[in-house]
Each structure stands twice: as structure tokens, then as C-alpha cells.
Amino acid sequence: MRTVGDRRHRAVEDAVRQGIVGPQQPVAGLLDVDAIRDAARTLREAFRAPRVLHTFAVKAAPLVPVLRLLADEGLGCEVASPGELALARAAGTSPARTVLDSPAKTGAELREALALGIAVNADSREELARLDALVQSAPTSSTLGLRVNPQVGGGSIGALSTATATSKFGIALRDEGARAWLLRACAERPWLTRLHAHVGSQGCPPELMAEGVRAVYELAEEVNAAVGRQQIATLDIGGGLPVNFSSDEITPTFHDYARLLADTVPGLFDGRYGLVTEFGRSLLAKSGMVLARVEYTKSAGGRRIAVTHAGAQLAVRTVFAPESWPLRVAAYDAQGRPRTGPAVAQDVAGPCCFAGDLVAVDRPLPPLEAGDHVALLDTGAYYFAHHYAYNTLPRPGVYGYTAAEGETTRFVTVRSPQTLAELVAEGGAAHAADLTALR
């Protein structure tokens, strides 16, 4: 049986042989379809409560074929913008399996969601007031809820910690008078039937996430006791499970997290509440890699540098915050076979014209040469799907792959490589003369 590493090595070799990556297309994103299906299956098996809707956080991989694949595995979509909603709809995700979260929903977005029957979590008191008016003006089948900030603290990456005392997200539960206001708001609106909390993502330990779920569960119990019935019927517990970027091991697992939740919030799985999850990175990160050609090698200050076509335009978080987002780099030769030889400290640089465009610094790797390839591992989420347009570098192609034992890897296109003509059009070519016409 193939290991994850075996599948990866075979995919790289076949991608090079088939021209997925080569002199004309020197970088691509590759997604292991079997690994994605395995992750979705594991998630379903881990959460065995009677009523669960697993949604995928579209921000993690806004690619229609990926959303369609996950829908085939029983997952809906969590969206946070009109663009993400449009992608979910293009993938065929039903409104009943779609959740709209965002701190800045416009009136038009809210009207569309309510007209379609998409679930909405109101992020603020002012947004709730908008929903008041909309619910009074027209009936809706949407499930409506409130996002609560349980204020349980932050993780090691402040920018991804959404349950701090001053977070911009949700209604702060521990602020003076907030709990009483939330109880009153629910009691006055029988159509508020869901509470939502999301503590954060990478850098947030599962124990902190579980504390956030416990806080929203206890609030739901209090609301239902106050109104004398089970008005809050569903708890949206968000996603954010961190990913291990240091090896192929998947840790923590969805089963680990579900067991922790069962221990921390014993009533969560007893069937009284429906559950919604919004996992993103933890579903896809391990399934993807960026494969890039080494264009040149050089040395500076006694250290080797491999100049590749994968840099800040794809790995923006790793380049600008390497301490928080270190990536593993695998070395392959010109034919896509694993590079061998004694490890030598090297920098792996990208193509962008600034000195800090480095995806690895002083990294021990077999000596790389021009024409070789590097793979940035664990990049199936938040990397090649989120292009940073520095230097007007084109978005790379993205390809899904699968292969049975002993067979050649089969690739399908998830997103075509961006052409120069498309780049020029994006740069305003249709309006080339408009500024000079202003006199």
C-alpha cells in the first residue's frame, strides 16, 4: 500500500513527465483527490451526533471543483463574501447547506441570503437590527443566529485569534451587560434559533477552541431555560482546527477534537442540539503541494540559493511571517525524482523582486541545480488559491490527481493557468486611453 510520501513522489514525477510543470509552465498547485476524500470521510466519522451539517470554509480554497468534490462527500459551504457565495452556488451547493458569516454583510447580501434560504449568523447588534427589518418585510426559510465572541483568549498567532477580548468578530459575551442583552435579544426574537462561535484557527490549541464551544453551549442552555422551550436548536461551532506543518502526520485529528469536545461539553452530542462545523485548512492542507521548477542557482555569502517560481505570490504568509508559517520543502531532480545526496544549507527563493521573497532560509536540502524542482508541502489550503499579484505574475494552474496502485497518475484541471492576455485585461487594458482623455 502506498504511503503519503509514495503518492506524492509518483505525482511529482508524473507531473513533470506529462508537462504539468516544465519550462513553459514552471509552477503549479497539485491536489491529491484521494486524500481530500479521506479527510472528509474522517470528519464525518468523527462527529456522530444525530444532526450535523459539516460545511467547508470556502476562504480556505475558493475553487469551484474543490467545492463540488466536497459536496459529493456530503459537505456544505461556509461563505464570507458575495464572491464566495457565487462560487458555492456555481459548485451546486444548496442554500440549505450554506452558511453566511462575515462582519461586514451589506443589506443587499442579507436580502439575497434570506430570499434564497441561506443560514445567516448576525455578527453585531447593528446587523441584527437590519435582520429585524428584513424579517418583518418578507418571510424567509433561512436559519438565523447570532455570532458570539466567547472572549476565551488568543493563540500563538494573534491575527488568527478571533476570541480575544477586543476581537472584531461577534458580540462580546463577557463585556458588561452583554449576556443580559443576548438573553433579551433572543427572547424578543423567536426566529433566532442558532448560536455561533469561532475561536480561531492556526495557532489556537484545541483546548481553547473547546472552551469557546462550552461558553456558547452554556449560553444556549441559559436562553432556552429563560424562554421555557428549546428556541436555540443549533450550535455552529466553527472550525479552525490547527494543522501540523512539520511532518506528514495528521495531528490533531478530527477524532481527537471530537473526543475533546465530548469531554469538555458533555451535552453537545446528546441529540438536543443540531451541530454545524466550518473546517477549512484542516480538511485540505495536507492534500496539496506547490510544485515549482528551479530556474537558477547561485551562492552569496557562502550559502547556496535556489531561485524558483514559487515565492510570495503563492506562499505570502510563509514569506512575510516565516516563524508562524514554516513550510516543508521537498527536493526533486529534473525528471521529478526525489533528489538524493548529502544535505547542504540552502535558501529557496521565489521570483518576486524583493529581497525577502524566500520560502526557506538556510534549509538543509540535497544540492539543487537549475532544472530541478521543489515541492512546498501542506499547501492545499490558503496557498495557491490566494494569489498575491506582486510583479504581475500569473496565477498558476491547479490540478487534481489520483492514481491506483501501479498506475500512472491521472491529472484533471481545477483552474487553468492565467494567460498574459488575461493579466493585461485585468490591468485595465480596455480603459487604456481613459486617463489621457481627461483634460
PDB file of all heavy atoms in Angstrom, residues 60-92:
ATOM      1  N   ALA A  60     -10.720  28.957   2.488  1.00  0.00           N
ATOM      2  CA  ALA A  60      -9.525  28.124   2.511  1.00  0.00           C
ATOM      3  C   ALA A  60      -9.120  27.634   1.125  1.00  0.00           C
ATOM      4  O   ALA A  60      -7.939  27.371   0.877  1.00  0.00           O
ATOM      5  CB  ALA A  60      -9.733  26.919   3.428  1.00  0.00           C
ATOM      6  N   ALA A  61     -10.084  27.510   0.212  1.00  0.00           N
ATOM      7  CA  ALA A  61      -9.789  27.052  -1.158  1.00  0.00           C
ATOM      8  C   ALA A  61     -10.959  27.429  -2.057  1.00  0.00           C
ATOM      9  O   ALA A  61     -11.810  26.591  -2.356  1.00  0.00           O
ATOM     10  CB  ALA A  61      -9.547  25.551  -1.206  1.00  0.00           C
ATOM     11  N   PRO A  62     -11.008  28.695  -2.478  1.00  0.00           N
ATOM     12  CA  PRO A  62     -12.137  29.161  -3.290  1.00  0.00           C
ATOM     13  C   PRO A  62     -12.038  28.696  -4.743  1.00  0.00           C
ATOM     14  O   PRO A  62     -11.799  29.482  -5.662  1.00  0.00           O
ATOM     15  CB  PRO A  62     -12.042  30.682  -3.168  1.00  0.00           C
ATOM     16  CG  PRO A  62     -10.595  30.956  -2.933  1.00  0.00           C
ATOM     17  CD  PRO A  62     -10.088  29.795  -2.138  1.00  0.00           C
ATOM     18  N   LEU A  63     -12.231  27.406  -4.937  1.00  0.00           N
ATOM     19  CA  LEU A  63     -12.119  26.766  -6.249  1.00  0.00           C
ATOM     20  C   LEU A  63     -13.356  25.902  -6.455  1.00  0.00           C
ATOM     21  O   LEU A  63     -13.615  24.980  -5.671  1.00  0.00           O
ATOM     22  CB  LEU A  63     -10.852  25.910  -6.317  1.00  0.00           C
ATOM     23  CG  LEU A  63      -9.525  26.668  -6.131  1.00  0.00           C
ATOM     24  CD1 LEU A  63      -8.390  25.686  -5.828  1.00  0.00           C
ATOM     25  CD2 LEU A  63      -9.200  27.494  -7.372  1.00  0.00           C
ATOM     26  N   VAL A  64     -14.112  26.189  -7.501  1.00  0.00           N
ATOM     27  CA  VAL A  64     -15.398  25.526  -7.715  1.00  0.00           C
ATOM     28  C   VAL A  64     -15.274  23.998  -7.763  1.00  0.00           C
ATOM     29  O   VAL A  64     -16.068  23.290  -7.121  1.00  0.00           O
ATOM     30  CB  VAL A  64     -16.080  26.077  -8.986  1.00  0.00           C
ATOM     31  CG1 VAL A  64     -17.312  25.241  -9.357  1.00  0.00           C
ATOM     32  CG2 VAL A  64     -16.479  27.537  -8.777  1.00  0.00           C
ATOM     33  N   PRO A  65     -14.303  23.417  -8.491  1.00  0.00           N
ATOM     34  CA  PRO A  65     -14.215  21.951  -8.498  1.00  0.00           C
ATOM     35  C   PRO A  65     -13.948  21.352  -7.116  1.00  0.00           C
ATOM     36  O   PRO A  65     -14.405  20.237  -6.820  1.00  0.00           O
ATOM     37  CB  PRO A  65     -13.053  21.669  -9.455  1.00  0.00           C
ATOM     38  CG  PRO A  65     -13.007  22.864 -10.355  1.00  0.00           C
ATOM     39  CD  PRO A  65     -13.356  24.013  -9.458  1.00  0.00           C
ATOM     40  N   VAL A  66     -13.205  22.067  -6.282  1.00  0.00           N
ATOM     41  CA  VAL A  66     -12.970  21.583  -4.915  1.00  0.00           C
ATOM     42  C   VAL A  66     -14.272  21.581  -4.128  1.00  0.00           C
ATOM     43  O   VAL A  66     -14.595  20.617  -3.421  1.00  0.00           O
ATOM     44  CB  VAL A  66     -11.902  22.440  -4.211  1.00  0.00           C
ATOM     45  CG1 VAL A  66     -11.817  22.096  -2.723  1.00  0.00           C
ATOM     46  CG2 VAL A  66     -10.540  22.246  -4.868  1.00  0.00           C
ATOM     47  N   LEU A  67     -15.043  22.654  -4.261  1.00  0.00           N
ATOM     48  CA  LEU A  67     -16.322  22.720  -3.549  1.00  0.00           C
ATOM     49  C   LEU A  67     -17.277  21.637  -4.043  1.00  0.00           C
ATOM     50  O   LEU A  67     -18.018  21.047  -3.250  1.00  0.00           O
ATOM     51  CB  LEU A  67     -16.950  24.106  -3.725  1.00  0.00           C
ATOM     52  CG  LEU A  67     -16.072  25.309  -3.339  1.00  0.00           C
ATOM     53  CD1 LEU A  67     -16.849  26.601  -3.493  1.00  0.00           C
ATOM     54  CD2 LEU A  67     -15.537  25.160  -1.923  1.00  0.00           C
ATOM     55  N   ARG A  68     -17.250  21.365  -5.362  1.00  0.00           N
ATOM     56  CA  ARG A  68     -18.101  20.296  -5.906  1.00  0.00           C
ATOM     57  C   ARG A  68     -17.666  18.933  -5.361  1.00  0.00           C
ATOM     58  O   ARG A  68     -18.501  18.087  -5.027  1.00  0.00           O
ATOM     59  CB  ARG A  68     -18.021  20.310  -7.430  1.00  0.00           C
ATOM     60  CG  ARG A  68     -18.802  19.207  -8.130  1.00  0.00           C
ATOM     61  CD  ARG A  68     -20.303  19.421  -8.064  1.00  0.00           C
ATOM     62  NE  ARG A  68     -20.705  20.591  -8.809  1.00  0.00           N
ATOM     63  CZ  ARG A  68     -21.024  20.600 -10.112  1.00  0.00           C
ATOM     64  NH1 ARG A  68     -20.978  19.472 -10.802  1.00  0.00           N
ATOM     65  NH2 ARG A  68     -21.384  21.714 -10.707  1.00  0.00           N
ATOM     66  N   LEU A  69     -16.361  18.705  -5.278  1.00  0.00           N
ATOM     67  CA  LEU A  69     -15.850  17.447  -4.730  1.00  0.00           C
ATOM     68  C   LEU A  69     -16.283  17.273  -3.285  1.00  0.00           C
ATOM     69  O   LEU A  69     -16.739  16.187  -2.875  1.00  0.00           O
ATOM     70  CB  LEU A  69     -14.327  17.415  -4.839  1.00  0.00           C
ATOM     71  CG  LEU A  69     -13.609  16.229  -4.194  1.00  0.00           C
ATOM     72  CD1 LEU A  69     -13.974  14.931  -4.892  1.00  0.00           C
ATOM     73  CD2 LEU A  69     -12.092  16.440  -4.212  1.00  0.00           C
ATOM     74  N   LEU A  70     -16.169  18.329  -2.502  1.00  0.00           N
ATOM     75  CA  LEU A  70     -16.561  18.245  -1.100  1.00  0.00           C
ATOM     76  C   LEU A  70     -18.069  18.066  -0.957  1.00  0.00           C
ATOM     77  O   LEU A  70     -18.538  17.360  -0.050  1.00  0.00           O
ATOM     78  CB  LEU A  70     -16.084  19.483  -0.348  1.00  0.00           C
ATOM     79  CG  LEU A  70     -14.557  19.566  -0.177  1.00  0.00           C
ATOM     80  CD1 LEU A  70     -14.149  20.932   0.354  1.00  0.00           C
ATOM     81  CD2 LEU A  70     -14.047  18.467   0.747  1.00  0.00           C
ATOM     82  N   ALA A  71     -18.848  18.692  -1.851  1.00  0.00           N
ATOM     83  CA  ALA A  71     -20.296  18.470  -1.839  1.00  0.00           C
ATOM     84  C   ALA A  71     -20.609  17.007  -2.100  1.00  0.00           C
ATOM     85  O   ALA A  71     -21.529  16.425  -1.495  1.00  0.00           O
ATOM     86  CB  ALA A  71     -20.972  19.364  -2.878  1.00  0.00           C
ATOM     87  N   ASP A  72     -19.837  16.385  -2.983  1.00  0.00           N
ATOM     88  CA  ASP A  72     -20.008  14.961  -3.273  1.00  0.00           C
ATOM     89  C   ASP A  72     -19.714  14.115  -2.041  1.00  0.00           C
ATOM     90  O   ASP A  72     -20.216  12.984  -1.924  1.00  0.00           O
ATOM     91  CB  ASP A  72     -19.082  14.572  -4.431  1.00  0.00           C
ATOM     92  CG  ASP A  72     -19.383  13.186  -4.979  1.00  0.00           C
ATOM     93  OD1 ASP A  72     -20.545  12.943  -5.353  1.00  0.00           O
ATOM     94  OD2 ASP A  72     -18.464  12.357  -5.037  1.00  0.00           O
ATOM     95  N   GLU A  73     -18.904  14.672  -1.126  1.00  0.00           N
ATOM     96  CA  GLU A  73     -18.589  13.991   0.126  1.00  0.00           C
ATOM     97  C   GLU A  73     -19.517  14.408   1.265  1.00  0.00           C
ATOM     98  O   GLU A  73     -19.266  14.096   2.427  1.00  0.00           O
ATOM     99  CB  GLU A  73     -17.138  14.263   0.515  1.00  0.00           C
ATOM    100  CG  GLU A  73     -16.125  13.616  -0.401  1.00  0.00           C
ATOM    101  CD  GLU A  73     -16.186  12.092  -0.363  1.00  0.00           C
ATOM    102  OE1 GLU A  73     -16.417  11.544   0.740  1.00  0.00           O
ATOM    103  OE2 GLU A  73     -16.019  11.461  -1.414  1.00  0.00           O
ATOM    104  N   GLY A  74     -20.566  15.159   0.938  1.00  0.00           N
ATOM    105  CA  GLY A  74     -21.572  15.496   1.929  1.00  0.00           C
ATOM    106  C   GLY A  74     -21.373  16.810   2.652  1.00  0.00           C
ATOM    107  O   GLY A  74     -22.094  17.098   3.618  1.00  0.00           O
ATOM    108  N   LEU A  75     -20.425  17.641   2.202  1.00  0.00           N
ATOM    109  CA  LEU A  75     -20.152  18.900   2.891  1.00  0.00           C
ATOM    110  C   LEU A  75     -20.857  20.066   2.199  1.00  0.00           C
ATOM    111  O   LEU A  75     -20.945  20.121   0.967  1.00  0.00           O
ATOM    112  CB  LEU A  75     -18.648  19.187   2.945  1.00  0.00           C
ATOM    113  CG  LEU A  75     -17.880  18.570   4.117  1.00  0.00           C
ATOM    114  CD1 LEU A  75     -17.810  17.065   3.983  1.00  0.00           C
ATOM    115  CD2 LEU A  75     -16.481  19.164   4.211  1.00  0.00           C
ATOM    116  N   GLY A  76     -21.332  21.011   3.012  1.00  0.00           N
ATOM    117  CA  GLY A  76     -21.849  22.262   2.501  1.00  0.00           C
ATOM    118  C   GLY A  76     -20.758  23.308   2.463  1.00  0.00           C
ATOM    119  O   GLY A  76     -19.557  22.984   2.492  1.00  0.00           O
ATOM    120  N   CYS A  77     -21.149  24.580   2.428  1.00  0.00           N
ATOM    121  CA  CYS A  77     -20.189  25.676   2.322  1.00  0.00           C
ATOM    122  C   CYS A  77     -20.466  26.749   3.366  1.00  0.00           C
ATOM    123  O   CYS A  77     -21.624  27.131   3.587  1.00  0.00           O
ATOM    124  CB  CYS A  77     -20.259  26.332   0.938  1.00  0.00           C
ATOM    125  SG  CYS A  77     -19.517  25.357  -0.386  1.00  0.00           S
ATOM    126  N   GLU A  78     -19.398  27.226   3.992  1.00  0.00           N
ATOM    127  CA  GLU A  78     -19.452  28.440   4.815  1.00  0.00           C
ATOM    128  C   GLU A  78     -18.826  29.546   3.996  1.00  0.00           C
ATOM    129  O   GLU A  78     -17.684  29.424   3.543  1.00  0.00           O
ATOM    130  CB  GLU A  78     -18.697  28.235   6.124  1.00  0.00           C
ATOM    131  CG  GLU A  78     -18.769  29.417   7.085  1.00  0.00           C
ATOM    132  CD  GLU A  78     -17.588  30.375   6.938  1.00  0.00           C
ATOM    133  OE1 GLU A  78     -16.544  29.950   6.415  1.00  0.00           O
ATOM    134  OE2 GLU A  78     -17.721  31.549   7.348  1.00  0.00           O
ATOM    135  N   VAL A  79     -19.594  30.627   3.759  1.00  0.00           N
ATOM    136  CA  VAL A  79     -19.138  31.704   2.881  1.00  0.00           C
ATOM    137  C   VAL A  79     -19.085  33.000   3.661  1.00  0.00           C
ATOM    138  O   VAL A  79     -19.836  33.210   4.608  1.00  0.00           O
ATOM    139  CB  VAL A  79     -20.038  31.844   1.642  1.00  0.00           C
ATOM    140  CG1 VAL A  79     -20.065  30.538   0.854  1.00  0.00           C
ATOM    141  CG2 VAL A  79     -21.459  32.258   2.020  1.00  0.00           C
ATOM    142  N   ALA A  80     -18.177  33.906   3.224  1.00  0.00           N
ATOM    143  CA  ALA A  80     -17.998  35.165   3.947  1.00  0.00           C
ATOM    144  C   ALA A  80     -17.943  36.360   3.006  1.00  0.00           C
ATOM    145  O   ALA A  80     -17.412  37.408   3.375  1.00  0.00           O
ATOM    146  CB  ALA A  80     -16.728  35.108   4.797  1.00  0.00           C
ATOM    147  N   SER A  81     -18.474  36.208   1.792  1.00  0.00           N
ATOM    148  CA  SER A  81     -18.485  37.324   0.839  1.00  0.00           C
ATOM    149  C   SER A  81     -19.397  36.958  -0.320  1.00  0.00           C
ATOM    150  O   SER A  81     -19.711  35.769  -0.528  1.00  0.00           O
ATOM    151  CB  SER A  81     -17.072  37.584   0.302  1.00  0.00           C
ATOM    152  OG  SER A  81     -16.685  36.537  -0.591  1.00  0.00           O
ATOM    153  N   PRO A  82     -19.820  37.958  -1.121  1.00  0.00           N
ATOM    154  CA  PRO A  82     -20.608  37.640  -2.319  1.00  0.00           C
ATOM    155  C   PRO A  82     -19.854  36.729  -3.274  1.00  0.00           C
ATOM    156  O   PRO A  82     -20.449  35.848  -3.912  1.00  0.00           O
ATOM    157  CB  PRO A  82     -20.873  39.017  -2.941  1.00  0.00           C
ATOM    158  CG  PRO A  82     -20.784  39.974  -1.803  1.00  0.00           C
ATOM    159  CD  PRO A  82     -19.720  39.418  -0.901  1.00  0.00           C
ATOM    160  N   GLY A  83     -18.535  36.914  -3.381  1.00  0.00           N
ATOM    161  CA  GLY A  83     -17.747  36.069  -4.267  1.00  0.00           C
ATOM    162  C   GLY A  83     -17.749  34.624  -3.818  1.00  0.00           C
ATOM    163  O   GLY A  83     -17.908  33.698  -4.631  1.00  0.00           O
ATOM    164  N   GLU A  84     -17.563  34.391  -2.521  1.00  0.00           N
ATOM    165  CA  GLU A  84     -17.572  33.018  -2.018  1.00  0.00           C
ATOM    166  C   GLU A  84     -18.941  32.375  -2.190  1.00  0.00           C
ATOM    167  O   GLU A  84     -19.048  31.188  -2.519  1.00  0.00           O
ATOM    168  CB  GLU A  84     -17.135  32.988  -0.554  1.00  0.00           C
ATOM    169  CG  GLU A  84     -15.653  33.312  -0.369  1.00  0.00           C
ATOM    170  CD  GLU A  84     -15.189  33.233   1.074  1.00  0.00           C
ATOM    171  OE1 GLU A  84     -15.991  32.881   1.959  1.00  0.00           O
ATOM    172  OE2 GLU A  84     -14.009  33.519   1.316  1.00  0.00           O
ATOM    173  N   LEU A  85     -19.990  33.154  -1.989  1.00  0.00           N
ATOM    174  CA  LEU A  85     -21.338  32.622  -2.201  1.00  0.00           C
ATOM    175  C   LEU A  85     -21.543  32.259  -3.669  1.00  0.00           C
ATOM    176  O   LEU A  85     -22.117  31.203  -3.982  1.00  0.00           O
ATOM    177  CB  LEU A  85     -22.383  33.638  -1.747  1.00  0.00           C
ATOM    178  CG  LEU A  85     -23.842  33.246  -2.007  1.00  0.00           C
ATOM    179  CD1 LEU A  85     -24.174  31.896  -1.361  1.00  0.00           C
ATOM    180  CD2 LEU A  85     -24.786  34.328  -1.509  1.00  0.00           C
ATOM    181  N   ALA A  86     -21.058  33.103  -4.576  1.00  0.00           N
ATOM    182  CA  ALA A  86     -21.193  32.809  -6.002  1.00  0.00           C
ATOM    183  C   ALA A  86     -20.455  31.516  -6.359  1.00  0.00           C
ATOM    184  O   ALA A  86     -20.950  30.703  -7.159  1.00  0.00           O
ATOM    185  CB  ALA A  86     -20.663  33.976  -6.831  1.00  0.00           C
ATOM    186  N   LEU A  87     -19.278  31.296  -5.774  1.00  0.00           N
ATOM    187  CA  LEU A  87     -18.541  30.055  -6.026  1.00  0.00           C
ATOM    188  C   LEU A  87     -19.310  28.845  -5.493  1.00  0.00           C
ATOM    189  O   LEU A  87     -19.389  27.805  -6.159  1.00  0.00           O
ATOM    190  CB  LEU A  87     -17.160  30.123  -5.370  1.00  0.00           C
ATOM    191  CG  LEU A  87     -16.178  31.155  -5.931  1.00  0.00           C
ATOM    192  CD1 LEU A  87     -14.916  31.189  -5.073  1.00  0.00           C
ATOM    193  CD2 LEU A  87     -15.817  30.837  -7.370  1.00  0.00           C
ATOM    194  N   ALA A  88     -19.861  28.973  -4.300  1.00  0.00           N
ATOM    195  CA  ALA A  88     -20.622  27.858  -3.718  1.00  0.00           C
ATOM    196  C   ALA A  88     -21.828  27.520  -4.583  1.00  0.00           C
ATOM    197  O   ALA A  88     -22.135  26.339  -4.820  1.00  0.00           O
ATOM    198  CB  ALA A  88     -21.065  28.215  -2.300  1.00  0.00           C
ATOM    199  N   ARG A  89     -22.494  28.546  -5.077  1.00  0.00           N
ATOM    200  CA  ARG A  89     -23.663  28.301  -5.925  1.00  0.00           C
ATOM    201  C   ARG A  89     -23.235  27.673  -7.247  1.00  0.00           C
ATOM    202  O   ARG A  89     -23.915  26.775  -7.772  1.00  0.00           O
ATOM    203  CB  ARG A  89     -24.425  29.594  -6.152  1.00  0.00           C
ATOM    204  CG  ARG A  89     -25.009  30.189  -4.873  1.00  0.00           C
ATOM    205  CD  ARG A  89     -25.907  31.373  -5.145  1.00  0.00           C
ATOM    206  NE  ARG A  89     -27.146  30.941  -5.798  1.00  0.00           N
ATOM    207  CZ  ARG A  89     -28.050  31.782  -6.272  1.00  0.00           C
ATOM    208  NH1 ARG A  89     -27.855  33.088  -6.198  1.00  0.00           N
ATOM    209  NH2 ARG A  89     -29.156  31.325  -6.841  1.00  0.00           N
ATOM    210  N   ALA A  90     -22.113  28.127  -7.804  1.00  0.00           N
ATOM    211  CA  ALA A  90     -21.617  27.548  -9.051  1.00  0.00           C
ATOM    212  C   ALA A  90     -21.250  26.079  -8.868  1.00  0.00           C
ATOM    213  O   ALA A  90     -21.331  25.286  -9.819  1.00  0.00           O
ATOM    214  CB  ALA A  90     -20.404  28.333  -9.547  1.00  0.00           C
ATOM    215  N   ALA A  91     -20.842  25.718  -7.670  1.00  0.00           N
ATOM    216  CA  ALA A  91     -20.488  24.325  -7.383  1.00  0.00           C
ATOM    217  C   ALA A  91     -21.715  23.459  -7.140  1.00  0.00           C
ATOM    218  O   ALA A  91     -21.585  22.239  -6.998  1.00  0.00           O
ATOM    219  CB  ALA A  91     -19.574  24.263  -6.163  1.00  0.00           C
ATOM    220  N   GLY A  92     -22.888  24.086  -7.069  1.00  0.00           N
ATOM    221  CA  GLY A  92     -24.117  23.337  -6.853  1.00  0.00           C
ATOM    222  C   GLY A  92     -24.486  23.119  -5.409  1.00  0.00           C
ATOM    223  O   GLY A  92     -25.369  22.314  -5.104  1.00  0.00           O
TER     224      GLY A  92
END
